[in-house]
C-alpha cells in the first residue's frame, strides 16, 4: 500500500475568517444561528453556505482526521473558490494573504511530517506576490503557492504573472491552480457569470471549462518553457479537457499538426471533488497515464475517507490506483 499524499486540501485561519467577517462589502462571511457561514460573492450566481467547524482551522482535528483516513500528508492551500482575490483591492489582498501565510506557516511548523503549505498569492499585486513567494520559500517553509485558474485562460493572462513564475523557477516551486477568477487587471478572463437557471450545473460547467482553458494555455503554448523546474498542478482532473482531448488529437492529425499530448502531459492534475467520479478518473488515466495524476480529496469540504473509498472503485488496475495515491513524492523531495 502506498503512503497516501493528499494534494487538494484547504484551510482557513481564524485571522482570515475575522478579516472577512469585518468586511461590509462582498465577498464576506455571514454566520447564521446554526454557526454556518455563507460566502457571499456578488459576481456569482451561487451563494455558498458551508458549515464552519474545527475541520477548517484546528490542527489536532485535521491530524486526527487524516490518521483515521490513512493519509500520510496533506498539502494545504487557500480556497480560491471563495472569489476573494478578484474582489479585493491590492492593499486588502496583501493584508489578508500575508497574515494567512504567516498563520499557515505556524500550522505546518507544528506538524512538519504531516502537512505541507502553499502560499496564498494575490493577482491584484503581482510584484508583491512574487516577493511573497520568495518569502514563502526562504522563511515560511512552503513548497510553492496557489493561484486562481482563471488567470491562465490565455497566454496574455499567463504572461502577466511571469514575475511570479520567475521566482518559482528560482525555488523550483510547485504552483497549484484552483477554481476561480483572478483580479480584473489580469487580461484574458471570461468576464460573464454563469446563467442563473440551473445555477449549480452551470457554475460547474464554467469552472471545469476554466481548468481546461488554463491547461491548454500552459500545455500548448511556450509559456512554461522558461520555467522547466516549476511543477504545475490543476485541480478537478483538469476540468473538461480529458473529455475533449481525443477530439483535439483527431483534429490536429487531420491538419498535420503535432500531437497535443506531450505538452498536456507536462502538467499535474488532481482528482479533487469533481474527480471522485470513478469513470472520469479512468478516462483521465487512459488519456494521460498515471504519472501526473495526484490524489486530492478537497478536505474539509468532503471527508477524505469517503473520497478514498469512491476513488478505489474506479475501473483501473490496483497498481494504477496505488501509484496515484503516492504520486508527487518527487515534488516533495525537492524541499527536504
Amino acid at each position: 500500500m502506498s503512503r497516501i499524499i493528499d494534494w487538494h486540501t484547504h484551510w482557513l485561519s481564524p485571522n482570515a475568517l475575522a478579516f472577512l467577517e469585518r468586511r461590509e462589502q462582498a465577498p464576506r462571511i455571514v454566520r447564521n444561528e446554526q454557526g454556518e457561514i455563507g460566502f457571499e460573492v456578488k459576481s456569482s450566481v451561487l451563494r455558498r453556505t458551508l458549515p464552519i467547524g474545527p475541520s477548517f482551522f484546528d490542527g489536532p482535528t485535521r491530524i486526527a482526521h487524516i490518521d483515521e483516513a490513512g493519509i500520510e500528508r496533506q498539502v494545504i492551500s487557500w480556497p480560491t473558490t471563495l472569489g476573494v482575490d478578484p474582489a479585493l483591492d491590492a492593499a486588502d489582498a496583501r493584508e489578508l494573504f500575508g497574515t494567512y501565510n504567516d498563520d499557515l506557516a505556524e500550522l505546518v511548523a507544528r506538524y512538519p511530517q504531516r502537512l505541507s503549505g502553499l502560499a496564498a498569492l494575490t493577482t491584484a499585486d503581482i510584484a508583491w506576490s512574487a516577493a511573497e513567494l520568495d518569502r514563502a520559500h526562504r522563511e515560511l517553509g512552503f513548497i510553492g503557492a496557489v493561484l486562481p485558474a482563471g488567470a491562465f485562460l490565455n497566454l496574455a493572462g499567463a504572461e502577466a504573472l511571469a514575475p511570479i513564475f520567475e521566482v518559482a523557477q528560482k525555488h523550483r516551486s510547485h504552483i497549484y491552480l484552483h477554481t476561480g477568477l483572478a483580479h480584473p487587471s489580469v487580461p484574458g478572463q471570461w468576464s460573464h457569470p454563469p446563467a442563473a437557471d440551473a445555477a449549480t450545473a452551470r457554475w460547474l460547467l464554467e469552472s471545469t471549462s476554466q481548468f481546461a482553458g488554463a491547461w491548454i494555455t500552459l500545455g500548448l503554448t511556450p509559456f512554461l518553457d522558461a520555467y522547466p523546474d516549476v511543477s504545475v498542478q490543476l485541480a478537478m482532473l483538469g476540468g473538461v479537457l480529458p473529455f475533449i482531448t481525443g477530439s483535439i488529437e483527431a483534429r490536429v492529425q487531420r491538419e498535420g499538426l503535432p500531437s497535443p499530448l506531450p505538452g498536456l502531459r507536462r502538467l499535474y492534475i488532481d482528482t479533487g471533488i469533481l474527480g471522485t467520479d470513478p469513470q472520469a478518473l479512468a478516462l483521465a488515466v487512459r488519456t494521460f497515464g498515471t504519472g501526473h495524476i495526484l490524489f486530492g480529496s478537497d478536505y474539509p469540504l468532503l471527508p477524505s475517507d469517503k473520497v478514498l473509498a469512491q476513488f478505489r472503485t474506479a475501473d483501473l488496475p490496483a497498481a494504477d490506483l496505488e501509484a496515484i495515491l503516492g504520486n508527487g513524492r518527487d515534488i516533495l523531495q525537492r524541499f527536504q
Side-chain angles (χ1 to χ4, degrees), residues 64-123:
H65 176 84
I66 62 175
D67 280 345
E68 185 175 353
I71 291 172
E72 176 192 4
R73 179 179 291 272
Q74 283 187 339
V75 179
I76 299 176
S77 59
W78 169 264
T80 60
T81 315
L82 304 184
V84 171
D85 191 33
L88 295 183
D89 62 28
D92 279 349
R94 291 191 297 264
E95 178 183 351
L96 171 61
F97 292 142
T99 300
Y100 173 85
N101 291 336
D102 289 339
D103 293 343
L104 180 56
E106 291 181 5
L107 176 70
V108 170
R110 290 202 299 270
Y111 306 99
Q113 303 305 315
R114 309 301 303 279
L115 304 177
S116 296
L118 296 170
L121 304 180
T122 176
T123 54

Side-chain angles (χ1 to χ4, degrees), residues 197-221:
D197 58 298
T200 297
R202 293 191 187 278
W203 179 82
L204 290 171
L205 176 62
E206 183 89 356
S207 177
T208 55
S209 296
Q210 288 175 5
F211 281 120
W215 199 351
I216 288 171
T217 297
L218 296 174
L220 301 183
T221 75

